[in-house]
Amino acid sequence: MNFNIDDTAFILIDHQVGTNTWAATTPLELLQRNVLILAKFAKGTDIPVVLTSSQEDNVDVQGPLMPELQNAVPDAFEKRIKRHGVVNAWDDPAFAAACRATGKKNFVMAGVTTDVCMVAPAISAVKEGFIVKVVCDACGSTNQIAEEMSWRRMEAGGVHLTSTNAIVAELVGNWASPAGAVAFPLLT
């Protein structure tokens, strides 16, 4: 069940300047790098991107989305779904509608924190019939036990787990392709 560029959308959840710092299981620099690889790869290959944030105005805790996302995917950033505290992003009608509106059956998802922000929407999307791969190194939790329990819950819920390099390589399929030309500089 390999994904390809034509049937895939990227869904990035709560990669905010405050929440990213809670992801102790993935070093902050690596987390941000991987999120930007996903965003830039999507932009360069015309893969739809849906962004969402939770309580951006809570600047002392969660804060705004990573500003680098605005540069990487300006249209998605402008259209981001600003949730007002809904924990399971899929329960926010605007967010779920934006994901459905991509017209894609396969979702590559990543979010912070994995245990609070990622598990529920990934499983909810699977329950609705989407095929979901969560990019584990573009996620993170406050501690390793929480992260491992998140992986178990997602796998039990039908979610597939992957990494940034693995999903990009899977979508590229051939390094000599136009997608390979986009991906190769991002991964090296």
Side-chain angles (χ1 to χ4, degrees):
M1 173 230 358
N2 281 346
F3 284 12
N4 65 61
I5 287 171
D6 297 329
D7 63 12
T8 301
F10 282 20
I11 316 295
L12 302 177
I13 300 172
D14 300 349
H15 289 103
Q16 296 166 242
V17 296
T19 54
N20 281 354
T21 64
W22 305 344
T25 58
T26 305
L28 182 59
E29 185 178 313
L30 177 64
L31 172 72
Q32 292 175 327
R33 174 187 178 272
N34 290 337
V35 170
L36 289 175
I37 286 171
L38 295 173
K40 290 175 181 178
F41 179 73
K43 173 76 172 169
T45 56
D46 294 324
I47 292 174
V49 177
V50 176
L51 300 176
T52 188
S53 61
S54 178
Q55 297 182 307
E56 280 190 36
D57 54 349
N58 189 352
V59 294
D60 293 329
V61 181
Q62 292 159 293
L65 282 180
M66 294 168 48
E68 298 89 346
L69 284 170
Q70 185 172 14
N71 295 329
V73 285
D75 292 340
F77 189 90
E78 184 64 32
K79 295 175 186 172
R80 72 193 179 278
I81 309 303
K82 296 180 183 179
R83 301 184 335 280
H84 298 287
V86 176
V87 175
N88 178 353
W90 201 262
D91 288 342
D92 184 295
F95 173 76
C99 294
R100 291 181 197 113
T102 65
K104 307 303 179 182
K105 66 176 182 169
N106 297 332
F107 291 161
V108 171
M109 300 177 88
V112 175
T113 62
T114 314
D115 55 338
V116 176
C117 305
M118 187 70 267
V119 171
I123 293 172
S124 296
V126 167
K127 285 181 180 175
E128 193 168 311
F130 295 96
I131 302 169
V132 175
K133 293 189 179 183
V134 168
V135 184
C136 294
D137 59 358
C139 300
S141 298
T142 57
N143 64 76
Q144 193 60 40
I145 294 170
E147 189 74 351
E148 290 179 21
M149 293 306 102
S150 299
W151 297 338
R152 288 183 187 184
R153 286 182 61 203
M154 287 189 289
E155 285 184 318
V159 175
H160 306 275
L161 305 182
T162 189
S163 66
T164 300
N165 290 0
I167 193 62
V168 169
E170 178 179 322
L171 289 164
V172 165
N174 180 347
W175 294 115
S177 69
V182 171
F184 200 69
L186 296 172
L187 300 180
T188 57

